[in-house]
Amino acid sequence: MTLKKLFTFYLVMLFPVTCLFAQATGSGVVTGVIKDKQTQETLIGVAVGIQGTSYGAITDTNGRFTINNIPSKTYNLAIQALGYENKTVYNVVVTSGNAQILNIELDPSGATALNEVVIRKNPFSKNAESPMSLQTLSAQEIKSNPGGNFDVSRVIQAFPGVGGTSGSVGGYRNDLIIRGGAPNENVYYLDGIEIPVINHFATQGSAGGPTGILNISFIEDVQLYTSAFPSKYDNPLSGVLQLKQRRANPEKIQHNLRLSATELAYSTDGPIVKDKLTYMASARRSYLQLLFSALQLPIRPSYWDFQYKIDYQINKKLSFYTLAVGAIDNFSFVTPDDLTAENVYTLQSNPLINQWSYTNGYGLKGLAKNGYWNLTFSRNMLNNQLDKYLDNQNPSEATRTLKIKSVEAENKMRFNLNKNYRKWSYSFGAMSQYDHFTNDLFSVISPEITDSNNNVLQPAVTIGGSTDINFVRYGMNGQIAGKFADDLLNLSFGLRVDGNTFTDDGSNPLNTLSPRLAASYAITEKLKLNASAGRYYKIPTYTVLGYKDSTGKFVNRNAKYIQSDHLAAGIEYMPGWKGARVTVEGFYKLYNNYPISLLDSISLANKGGNFNVLGNEPVTSSGTGKSYGIEFQFQQKLTKNFFTILSLTIYNSEFTNLDGKYVPASWDNGQLLSFIGGYKFKKNWELGVKFRYQGGAPYTPYNMQASQASYLTLGTGVLDYAQFNTLRLSAFNAMDVRVDKKWNFKKWSFDLFLDITNLYASAQPSVPNFTFKRTEDNSGFETTDGAPIKADGSNGKPILLDDNSGTVIPSIGFIMEF
């Protein structure tokens, strides 16, 4: 469907709906709970007002407030309380369908009279532990993001230092490349529960995938740390993504139905026992296969995902919750009508995928004197099966080139205590987890190559075997922060140690001693100087730890924790207008102990951006790396109906391979530029625009001779690692646009949206793919002698498919709340 036809179709849909709903005028509800940020105690008597109106409320003895009959539109909320800093809650969209449920935390100010309350100059979330390298997004900013497909991972790529694999290996995926680090260097938490798998069709040993699992309808806000990690988080080298879910509607059951070009999603929430027990639940079903069919692609991905949360307020000082996230994924193929060289390559180079995953967690949160504590238990599992054959359409064991049947399971317990005393805050905690990993592996690394007399020129190289390991991981953390020099200077120091019972030196906590220090100084009321330094560790992936050689020996048991040292410094400036911020940060990251493959001599830091598996090979922990750069960001919260984020990052990322020489990392795009802007028009019209620019990524050319001999067995070419990342793609840029129109009725609302990804069909540079030239009628491969192509490909005609086409991806859908 052309863009012109699509827009015409949108107008055709819009006209009768507009006529039918022309008189739609509904009102909505804003409700929530307000707490002390330091102690988590609910606050009584807090004034909540809707800016620009006379609507407001005062919190009751449970810290709750409700504002009814609010005309449907977007507002900012003003929060004021004696002894606390004023706060503005931005971009609260009031509809007649679902109530807006807010959980608001206030910082103590020390004021003793209402007219002494300090106006909070900084509306952006910060704390003494992480005074910099911390970004925050509200749920509405995520929902209205053009081209984001209601996906958290896509939206945060607008932040400084954050890129994706668009324009490089992997295409449109959710791999998060943070400050030049690999996709598997990030960790993800949902309400304090670690969620190792947040994407469908996740790359095992890494983290990326084509689309996210989490339901954005349940998310209240998102925090992204790109450095200065609090000590309670284990295993991050580049980023921590912390997602907080909203509370369910405590008054009545409500529903949300979303239909787009790729999926159908339903969610519901409400009370089970009023004021005590609430629930949220959702399910989503994709029909991406229809989109890929329209694009004439031979792949057929499909998925389901599920999510729930139950909250139980045991008493005023103790609460309990349980949550779960699950996904079922299937990746198959069909033979297209047009067997182009591109389609044949897709059929032969990608594996069949059957994957499912889940995380189930339970948490207790209790209030203590001047603080609070959290205790969580969780279990997560990934079941991953990949199969690849010479002909994926007609599979047989004789033609198998890849088999992976793997299970990762983790059982975790975490405890953290947070306390405050005057101008000091401190926390400490501990974690332990029992890990189980099994893997049944067979992979053809290179096929047997013979001459015309069947003499073996190159023997086949395969790896395989079965793995079953169980071990324990554990860690302890502590952090202390204080205010000095009339509260102008904030200092924080943290310490963490980790260990495990599997690796050779894993039981020595001194090997993972990771200190961190952060400082923030207010030079003026509007200008702050921030700096941080820290050392962070990550255990190698299960696929690395569990690899066995042909004798059954765990050859990677001597693998070390990967080490990353961070230095960062910058300024934060608050301009004169409300809700705006400018930041400039410089960063330097130094890596040690990075695993390097002994099969191809390449650092694992350069892998993980495709649909296969990272690891499953012998390694040596001798790799090093470095990444450094500078970031600029301007962010404007919703003011006068407009909000925006503009960010620019210039950086360099390099890692060593087995030869010890630094070469550009696979994620070394060099420049990242991103703009997201939104405007709220009258009568509930909204416009969102996103522009992104990403410098060209390095890539490795093919060994043409080896590729020709191996292609018919492997389905892919063979890279020439002697020229690793010596070539570079051209830069990539694209614009996405989204238009929303909302109607509000007495008890329900309807949002019709048009979302266009890659509006002007910008070409996306991609790594060339090796294949053989097809005959004119596409019935087979063309050969030099006119005979059928030989098994060793010697009479084939090699070509490189250089697909730099640009595709406009439109989506029309609606969101119904009732």
Side-chain angles (χ1 to χ4, degrees), residues 308-361:
Y308 83 81
K309 185 181 182 184
I310 294 176
D311 284 288
Y312 177 44
Q313 190 68 42
I314 300 172
N315 55 50
K316 284 192 173 183
K317 291 192 174 184
L318 185 63
S319 60
F320 167 82
Y321 68 90
T322 177
L323 61 82
V325 177
I328 302 172
D329 306 327
N330 179 264
F331 190 96
S332 58
F333 302 94
V334 298
T335 303
D337 295 332
D338 187 11
L339 270 177
T340 63
E342 290 81 5
N343 283 337
V344 171
Y345 181 84
T346 299
L347 289 169
Q348 292 186 341
S349 61
N350 290 290
L352 300 160
I353 302 175
N354 282 286
Q355 186 180 103
W356 57 264
S357 64
Y358 72 83
T359 298
N360 183 208

Side-chain angles (χ1 to χ4, degrees), residues 50 69 76 114 153 172 193 214 279 308 348 375 379 382 398 422 558 765:
I50 298 180
N69 301 316
N76 294 336
L114 195 58
S153 297
Y172 285 97
I193 303 293
L214 299 176
Y279 79 95
Y308 83 81
Q348 292 186 341
L375 176 65
R379 174 177 172 83
L382 169 66
R422 295 183 179 178
N558 61 349

Side-chain angles (χ1 to χ4, degrees), residues 457-530:
L457 302 178
Q458 172 186 295
V461 178
T462 63
I463 58 175
S466 297
T467 290
D468 191 331
I469 60 174
N470 300 275
F471 64 99
V472 174
R473 289 164 51 190
Y474 48 88
M476 296 181 65
N477 63 275
Q479 194 114 15
I480 186 169
K483 297 180 179 181
F484 307 90
D486 295 326
D487 295 349
L488 297 177
L489 176 65
N490 289 340
L491 293 177
S492 172
F493 175 75
L495 192 65
R496 180 175 186 90
V497 294
D498 289 280
N500 73 86
T501 61
F502 183 78
T503 61
D504 290 343
D505 59 358
S507 59
N508 185 352
L510 295 179
N511 291 330
T512 58
L513 192 64
S514 53
R516 58 212 63 194
L517 177 68
S520 177
Y521 183 76
I523 300 173
T524 69
E525 185 182 16
K526 297 182 179 180
L527 183 64
K528 281 187 177 182
L529 176 64
N530 304 311

Side-chain angles (χ1 to χ4, degrees), residues 644-722:
T644 188
I645 300 174
L646 173 65
S647 67
L648 170 67
T649 305
I650 301 173
Y651 74 100
N652 181 272
S653 178
E654 300 176 327
F655 285 87
T656 62
N657 293 320
L658 196 60
D659 60 7
K661 298 178 181 179
Y662 277 99
V663 294
S666 297
W667 332 109
D668 180 41
N669 295 89
Q671 308 89 32
L672 303 171
L673 175 65
S674 178
F675 167 83
I676 291 181
Y679 190 82
K680 312 270 188 174
F681 296 92
K682 294 181 179 179
K683 298 184 178 180
N684 290 315
W685 283 90
E686 296 182 19
L687 173 66
V689 176
K690 178 170 71 175
F691 174 83
R692 60 195 187 279
Y693 170 91
Q694 194 161 288
Y699 72 96
T700 303
Y702 288 102
N703 181 323
M704 298 300 289
Q705 183 177 357
S707 296
Q708 184 167 358
S710 304
Y711 177 75
L712 293 177
T713 300
L714 299 180
T716 61
V718 177
L719 297 178
D720 184 0
Y721 287 121

